[in-house]
Amino acid sequence: MRPGLIRNFCIIAHIDHGKSTLADRILELTGAVDARKRKDQILDAMDLERERGITIKASAVTVDYEHDGERYMLNLIDTPGHVDFHYEVSRALTACEGALLVVDASQGVEAQTVANAYMAMEHDLHLVPVINKIDLPSARPEDVALEVEHALALSSNDCVFCSAKTGEGVADLLRAVVTKVPPPQADSEAPLRALIFDAEYNDYRGVIIYVRVFDGTLRKGQRVRMMGTGHQYEVQELGKFRPEPQVHAELAAGEVGYCVANIKTLDDVNIGDTVAEVARADVEALPGYRPPQQMVFCDIYPTASTDYSKLRDALERLHLNDASFTFRARNNEVLGFGFSCGFLGLLHMDIIQERLERESGVDLVQTAPTTSYEVVLHGGQVVRADTPSDMPPMAEWQEIREPLVRCNMIIPLESIGSVMKLSEQRRGAYVRQEHLGPTRVMLVVDFPLADIIYDFYDKLKSATRGYGTMDYELLGYRAADLVMVDVLINGKPAAALSFVSHRSTAEDRGRRILMRLKKEIPRHLFVVPLQAAIGARIIARETISAVRKNVTAKCYGGDVSRKRKLLEKQKEGKKRMKSIGNVDVPQAAFLSVLENQ
Amino acid sequence: MEKKADQNRARAEPADAGTPQSLYVHVPFCVRKCGYCDFYSLAGATQDLMRAYVAAVEQEGGALPETPLRTLYVGGGTPTALPPPLLRRLLDGLRRRFTLGRPPATPSVPGGEAPEFTVEANPGVLDDALLDAMQDAGVNRVSLGVQSFHPETLATLGRIHGPDQALRALDLLRRRGTRHVSLDLMFAVPGQTLDQWLSDLRAAVASDVEHMSVYGLAIEPHTPLGRRVAAGDLAPLPDEAYAEMQMATRQALLAAGYEHYELSNFARPGRRCRHNLTYWHNRSYFALGPAATSYVGGLRETRIADVAEYVRRIQAGSSPVAETERLAGERRARETAILGLRLLEGFDVAAFERQTGFAPLHLFAEPIARHRGLGLLEVADGHVRLTPAALPVADSVLADFV
């Protein structure tokens, strides 16, 4: 097809603003799906996505559309809804020339609306603002159009008003796609260059990659090479989802489709990589590739140690579908065998954990999330440490750097005081604020990732009575005054409890941990000191006083069995504890520290 | 069924430890249940049931080997809740059935110790008729459930007697020349002060008894007292107060010339309770009656805690045993250790090994080292024993031996 008749576009939106419903309506209106047979939200394949209203995997659907007597090919590229999948979103955006920016007519502009819109602008996409859900009684489409103008400098006159639910205005929207989104600049004669913008694993077909052909033509039987990995494959099948798969012999420049090429695992594929012809490998790779970067880490343990291998199998299976999280075996001195896992962000972590529990049936213990640090050693060597146990000793540090994120929060105007206060508590650095209308404001604050990784979102929600939304993007690593805090039980360090903290909050956090331990560790026959220390310097101290009374007064013939069983139970309880510095520490004590921050 | 019961009984014959020389008889009747008691007993039973009970005990006892006993202990419940004629019948029956004399097999026992025959008595009901029954049956030791000389404390415990009755009962026993009197006392009762407790101890010492069992109150959840505590009606004494009273007890009674020989027991020299020592030495003993536990040939058997059902089973010739337990070698050795450590002299290393087949300094090397390090245990003159500092926290130490 002539590139002039192709439109590649995506829909971007804040969660629950109606992206999936709109996609369904577009499929119906273009005749790709029979309205009577449709399932809601066809593009969301997984139950979990549907339940959470989040699209995890991107996919692409091709529909035909008649306009002014011409037959257009519209490629709707679905993008993940959350900025945790920032990189995946950016690859999907690269495959498009335009984007529908969907905003809920009653909720208005939200944090992810802004984050997604900025990202689309960075990719030079033409944005079509869409005010959706105009059928709602609480809809305020004109206000929201003005919010779009204030927040994003997109003219309110360009907004398309629609209701994906009733179908009203959707035809206008399709017209806007054809008339406003530019066609791809494509040269079918040039050497092949296709962008892998997504991939998924299928039990029967192996890996299916989604590609956008920029130059040349991708053909069945062609020998291709992934320029990043260097792996070579023969193209076995090409096609498009309409939305059922439809086999094609080739995908020409400007087109979007899927490709099957006997690729075994997702680890073999890099999203963002360029597919070239083996015979013409001298081409330049498409720009922008980078490996996924895990920013959030936590340990996952099976509650029952016998479930370890079940958990490992489940992680391996999940990894086939999502190569962007990492896991490695870990042996915690108290919690036993488990895994250290890395995630793109907090939501990504939640999704993986939920899927793990659901798909494996294993009860999990999850430690509080941490982030990764860069340590510059005295020799100048830079070490990345994803968990405190990877951290080199403090004496070897020349400098330590932590990830810094830019966070935009959209909140009711009246909450600004409490959100500013919350931000200060989390070491936030104010950047700017923008009024989106008379009652809503966007606050931009830079935070150390470590300070918003745990319970910040919950706190923001309660500071804004549920109305606040947030999103963040990584700015990079920045040197900070961080320290490694050790926790000592009866003078012996409990390695599993060491943590990295900003110096200014180390004492507070240390004290909180000691209080938790004090609550959970039973009294012993001797006084047990608990300490938090930076190197040799004690920064906090608590004491567990000794047992004063534990004696059975009466023990005669009829009491012996019961009494022995009670003592056996005491002993069993001790056995399940971890002994540190002669102190029996119950698992619950570790969990009370590790699950919280 | 009958045959099977007989076989069970046959198998219960001592196999290794020799024939027991002690017998416990449980009398599961009370005038009224005390608020803290979680032993099996029945308040307000009919005389018919009591009569049937006595007959059943006689019948159960008839199946035991005719062996000379060194100790016989009739406890409860409240043995003195039986009407005097029934108590007399029970005690006489026991006396007739069992040769209460110096065991022929041990002629060299110094001084030819007479057998110890104890009956527990409630000061609220003790009278001449009951005492006659005991005296005539050869009872030579009476354990009197005094608990306290303070009316408030007795009321909190839900005892049926007052301080005057306790003194009257003591006087009665003395006038009859009872050779060996023991008092039960209780501390750490909600509301009790240290001063009150010290005055209880002074009163007990003044009564010049041979033996005292002094218990810290254990509040059991399923008792009326436990429920009152759970409901917030009564506040249990803090652990510190318990420990303080326990230490004060030891001081006061040592000063008055008593030996502290078991965690909760004190005696004038030579007046330790030989029956109870059987338990702490983990030696075998017979038992009769509902809820009573025997330990014969390594088999521990607890009879059903239901008088009517006990009577029915005995009459039907079936076994009254509801629960049995037989520990394998090492667990039995460990049990022997936790019982032996209740004694202030501890357990004898050589005797322990002879009795259990395990060398204690090897089997318990780790806990012995740890608790010696903490000053809670000592190994001296061939014994392993708790130190006085360990007494309030003995269970924490014992838990490492079990």
Side-chain angles (χ1 to χ4, degrees):
Chain A
M1 179 168 281
R2 265 196 294 128
L5 294 179
I6 300 173
R7 296 293 182 273
N8 296 314
F9 72 104
C10 59
I11 307 175
I12 53 181
H14 189 82
I15 287 174
D16 286 339
H17 281 199
K19 184 173 86 165
S20 302
T21 312
L22 183 58
D24 290 352
R25 211 57 68 237
I26 289 173
L27 297 195
E28 262 175 50
L29 210 71
T30 55
V33 175
D34 186 333
R36 282 164 305 174
K37 286 191 205 157
R38 75 184 159 88
K39 287 187 297 175
D40 275 343
Q41 304 186 353
I42 293 145
L43 295 184
D44 284 358
M46 283 183 278
D47 286 353
L48 183 63
E49 290 177 43
R50 194 161 304 174
E51 277 170 31
R52 295 183 66 122
I54 300 161
T55 307
I56 299 166
K57 295 305 288 185
S59 51
V61 176
T62 301
V63 296
D64 298 324
Y65 180 66
E66 299 265 354
H67 178 74
D68 283 350
E70 290 275 19
R71 193 179 167 84
Y72 288 83
M73 175 199 284
L74 307 189
N75 294 312
L76 169 54
I77 292 160
D78 203 20
T79 64
H82 191 274
V83 81
D84 270 2
F85 308 100
H86 188 281
Y87 178 68
E88 291 186 28
V89 175
S90 86
R91 292 307 85 197
L93 296 179
T94 307
C96 303
E97 278 77 36
L100 305 182
L101 175 67
V102 176
V103 185
D104 183 310
S106 118
Q107 304 288 320
V109 171
E110 299 281 18
Q112 286 159 26
T113 316
V114 177
N116 284 316
Y118 283 171
M119 218 195 307
M121 290 173 187
E122 280 168 29
H123 286 80
D124 293 325
L125 263 50
H126 182 89
L127 281 180
V128 178
V130 178
I131 312 299
N132 186 27
K133 304 196 191 179
I134 55 170
D135 58 304
L136 288 180
S138 58
R140 42 184 189 92
E142 284 76 24
D143 290 354
V144 171
L146 283 173
E147 284 186 11
V148 169
E149 187 166 311
H150 291 145
L152 303 166
L154 295 170
S155 166
S156 55
N157 295 327
D158 291 339
C159 288
V160 178
F161 298 90
C162 76
S163 163
K165 191 173 156 202
T166 65
E168 181 186 354
V170 177
D172 299 338
L173 189 58
L174 286 169
R175 259 195 301 285
V177 169
V178 171
T179 56
K180 295 198 172 148
V181 174
Q185 301 291 316
D187 180 357
S188 293
E189 300 312 312
L192 173 69
R193 288 204 298 173
L195 172 78
I196 302 175
F197 64 87
D198 199 4
E200 67 182 272
Y201 179 79
N202 181 291
D203 282 338
Y204 304 101
R205 310 297 309 271
V207 174
I208 297 168
I209 57 172
Y210 291 84
V211 292
R212 153 75 195 264
V213 181
F214 276 85
D215 296 316
T217 304
L218 187 59
R219 294 189 178 83
K220 186 179 174 188
Q222 210 169 21
R223 294 286 304 167
V224 294
R225 190 170 79 99
M226 314 275 192
M227 296 189 68
T229 61
H231 296 158
Q232 297 191 3
Y233 302 96
E234 184 181 311
V235 176
Q236 292 177 322
E237 182 183 319
L238 292 171
K240 293 177 181 179
F241 289 99
R242 304 186 61 96
E244 280 77 31
Q246 181 184 71
V247 175
H248 287 244
E250 59 176 53
L251 293 175
E255 293 188 350
V256 169
Y258 70 86
C259 169
V260 178
N262 197 23
I263 303 167
K264 295 280 186 277
T265 75
L266 282 180
D267 274 335
D268 296 331
V269 177
N270 288 336
I271 306 298
D273 205 350
T274 304
V275 181
E277 233 179 318
V278 170
R280 297 292 304 271
D282 54 334
V283 294
E284 196 179 324
L286 295 161
Y289 169 74
R290 63 177 169 81
Q293 195 175 6
Q294 289 78 34
M295 295 304 301
V296 174
F297 297 85
C298 78
D299 291 354
I300 291 178
Y301 299 90
T303 306
S305 59
T306 44
D307 281 341
Y308 174 78
S309 56
K310 247 169 112 181
L311 176 58
R312 189 193 51 220
D313 292 348
L315 281 165
E316 280 168 359
R317 231 176 9 253
L318 214 52
H319 192 71
L320 285 177
N321 290 306
D322 180 358
S324 61
F325 85 91
T326 57
F327 63 100
R328 59 189 164 125
R330 181 166 166 72
N331 183 8
N332 179 288
E333 53 187 322
V334 182
L335 304 175
F337 287 99
F339 297 90
S340 271
C341 302
F343 308 94
L344 301 174
L346 291 169
L347 181 83
H348 190 208
M349 177 176 76
D350 283 353
I351 291 172
I352 296 285
Q353 196 210 354
E354 235 181 276
R355 287 190 60 188
L356 264 182
E357 261 181 317
R358 177 186 312 216
E359 290 168 24
S360 69
V362 173
D363 250 357
L364 300 179
V365 168
Q366 186 184 359
T367 62
T370 55
T371 185
S372 70
Y373 296 93
E374 277 182 8
V375 181
V376 184
L377 303 179
H378 286 304
Q381 189 195 347
V382 179
V383 183
R384 189 173 141 146
D386 292 341
T387 68
S389 56
D390 297 336
M391 200 65 88
M394 257 181 90
E396 296 172 18
W397 301 0
Q398 185 187 312
E399 182 179 282
I400 178 162
R401 300 169 183 157
E402 64 178 338
L404 192 69
V405 297
R406 175 150 297 176
C407 181
N408 66 61
M409 296 171 273
I410 293 186
I411 57 174
L413 193 56
E414 71 215 31
S415 323
I416 195 156
S418 43
V419 174
M420 289 292 279
K421 197 172 150 214
L422 174 65
S423 301
E424 273 163 37
Q425 288 165 358
R426 302 300 177 106
R427 291 195 289 145
Y430 172 85
V431 179
R432 64 189 156 86
Q433 70 181 62
E434 270 166 45
H435 288 264
L436 301 183
T439 59
R440 282 157 41 98
V441 63
M442 178 168 78
L443 198 58
V444 182
V445 181
D446 290 348
F447 288 103
L449 177 57
D451 287 74
I452 60 162
I453 211 169
Y454 182 76
D455 82 359
F456 180 79
Y457 187 56
D458 293 342
K459 290 276 182 338
L460 178 71
K461 279 283 179 201
S462 56
T464 58
R465 290 185 294 121
Y467 289 111
T469 58
M470 64 171 272
D471 216 323
Y472 65 83
E473 59 175 325
L474 182 67
L475 293 178
Y477 281 79
R478 178 192 67 169
D481 190 10
L482 303 180
V483 291
M484 184 84 181
V485 182
D486 295 317
V487 175
L488 287 76
I489 298 173
N490 202 21
K492 293 280 185 310
L497 301 183
S498 296
F499 62 97
V500 175
S501 168
H502 193 262
R503 192 181 297 275
S504 64
T505 56
E507 189 182 323
D508 261 12
R509 284 182 63 188
R511 194 169 305 285
R512 273 209 306 275
I513 286 175
L514 300 188
M515 295 302 284
R516 288 209 182 93
L517 289 176
K518 184 174 176 174
K519 222 173 110 194
E520 296 288 346
I521 296 176
R523 286 178 169 204
H524 279 62
L525 286 168
F526 44 89
V527 170
V528 176
L530 303 172
Q531 295 158 309
I534 300 172
R537 194 168 64 84
I538 305 298
I539 56 167
R541 181 194 300 270
E542 288 289 337
T543 304
I544 301 173
S545 52
V547 178
R548 288 307 311 273
K549 175 218 150 193
N550 182 23
V551 58
T552 305
K554 282 193 189 190
C555 184
Y556 300 105
D559 312 317
V560 173
S561 288
R562 191 168 73 113
K563 150 99 170 156
R564 190 195 67 247
K565 284 172 189 162
L566 286 174
L567 290 173
E568 281 171 347
K569 225 167 126 186
Q570 275 190 38
K571 187 184 181 182
E572 259 322 293
K574 276 191 185 185
K575 258 197 215 156
R576 282 197 303 273
M577 297 189 208
K578 164 77 183 173
S579 176
I580 294 177
N582 275 326
V583 176
D584 300 312
V585 184
Q587 216 190 45
F590 280 83
L591 288 180
S592 77
V593 174
L594 294 176
E595 290 185 328
N596 299 288
Q597 201 180 69
Chain B
M1 195 63 200
E2 276 176 41
K3 257 200 181 132
K4 194 161 177 222
D6 284 341
Q7 280 166 3
N8 281 344
R9 223 157 290 166
R11 223 182 295 132
E13 294 292 302
D16 50 0
T19 304
Q21 297 180 335
S22 295
L23 168 66
Y24 175 73
V25 180
H26 192 71
V27 182
F29 302 107
C30 284
V31 176
R32 193 177 85 196
K33 284 283 288 188
C34 300
Y36 57 89
C37 173
D38 72 336
F39 286 99
Y40 175 65
S41 76
L42 212 58
T46 63
Q47 293 229 4
D48 281 352
L49 186 63
M50 291 182 178
R51 207 171 294 117
Y53 154 80
V54 171
V57 167
E58 279 172 349
Q59 194 181 333
E60 191 189 9
L64 293 181
E66 286 188 54
T67 177
L69 295 176
R70 292 180 63 238
T71 73
L72 206 165
Y73 195 107
V74 181
T78 315
T80 52
L82 290 174
L86 271 180
L87 181 67
R88 175 178 292 277
R89 185 178 147 194
L90 176 73
L91 299 179
D92 282 349
L94 292 169
R95 178 170 182 80
R96 273 198 308 278
R97 182 69 182 79
F98 300 99
T99 316
L100 289 174
R102 170 155 38 112
T106 55
S108 61
V109 172
E113 270 182 319
E116 178 189 276
F117 190 173
T118 307
V119 173
E120 287 180 352
N122 186 314
V125 296
L126 194 61
D127 62 12
D128 279 316
L130 289 164
L131 283 168
D132 286 344
M134 294 186 209
Q135 204 166 356
D136 294 348
V139 171
N140 51 23
R141 188 173 183 275
V142 174
S143 172
L144 200 60
V146 170
Q147 316 308 351
S148 174
F149 294 97
H150 279 273
E152 308 90 319
T153 306
L154 289 170
T156 305
L157 292 173
R159 297 290 300 189
I160 59 166
H161 70 275
D164 294 348
Q165 283 165 297
L167 294 170
R168 192 192 54 87
L170 281 164
D171 190 50
L172 218 52
L173 287 166
R174 281 299 166 222
R175 278 193 284 117
R176 287 193 170 241
T178 308
R179 228 184 113 243
H180 190 159
V181 178
S182 179
L183 282 190
D184 281 1
L185 289 176
M186 212 165 253
F187 67 89
V189 177
Q192 194 180 37
T193 65
L194 180 61
D195 278 349
Q196 284 175 347
W197 174 237
L198 290 172
S199 87
D200 271 345
L201 285 170
R202 277 193 300 274
V205 167
S207 71
D208 198 30
V209 291
E210 286 73 26
H211 188 279
M212 288 188 218
S213 298
V214 187
Y215 304 116
L217 174 67
I219 297 172
E220 304 293 344
H222 304 298
T223 60
L225 191 72
R227 283 190 288 271
R228 287 177 67 192
V229 167
D233 270 4
L234 279 180
L237 289 200
D239 288 356
E240 283 68 19
Y242 186 111
E244 190 177 23
M245 288 182 179
Q246 194 185 24
M247 293 318 275
T249 305
R250 177 175 159 80
Q251 258 173 14
L253 297 186
L254 289 181
Y258 290 89
E259 292 171 344
H260 191 184
Y261 75 101
E262 194 262 356
L263 280 169
S264 304
N265 283 279
F266 297 81
R268 295 278 190 214
R271 295 306 184 97
R272 297 178 185 194
C273 176
R274 283 189 283 140
H275 182 84
N276 289 341
L277 284 168
T278 309
Y279 302 136
W280 300 318
H281 288 139
N282 211 15
R283 302 278 179 199
S284 53
Y285 43 89
F286 296 118
L288 300 173
T293 300
S294 59
Y295 185 46
V296 181
L299 182 70
R300 193 170 275 131
E301 294 186 309
T302 301
R303 281 141 196 81
I304 189 150
D306 179 329
V307 188
E309 175 63 12
Y310 169 81
V311 168
R312 199 193 61 75
R313 289 200 195 178
I314 295 291
Q315 285 172 352
S318 60
S319 166
V321 172
E323 263 178 75
T324 65
E325 179 182 79
R326 184 191 289 279
L327 297 184
E330 182 177 326
R331 285 185 80 199
R332 200 157 149 196
R334 291 182 176 277
E335 184 181 82
T336 305
I338 59 166
L339 289 167
L341 285 172
R342 292 189 65 88
L343 295 169
L344 276 282
E345 67 179 20
F347 60 79
D348 183 303
V349 171
F352 185 96
E353 186 166 356
R354 276 197 305 279
Q355 184 180 344
T356 67
F358 287 85
L361 298 183
H362 178 70
L363 182 61
F364 303 119
E366 198 267 331
I368 287 176
R370 170 146 27 107
H371 292 293
R372 277 176 94 174
L374 293 169
L376 298 174
L377 202 77
E378 63 179 18
V379 180
D381 29 276
H383 284 71
V384 178
R385 67 173 73 100
L386 299 178
T387 64
L391 300 180
V393 293
D395 284 1
S396 296
V397 179
L398 299 191
D400 290 335
F401 283 78
V402 80

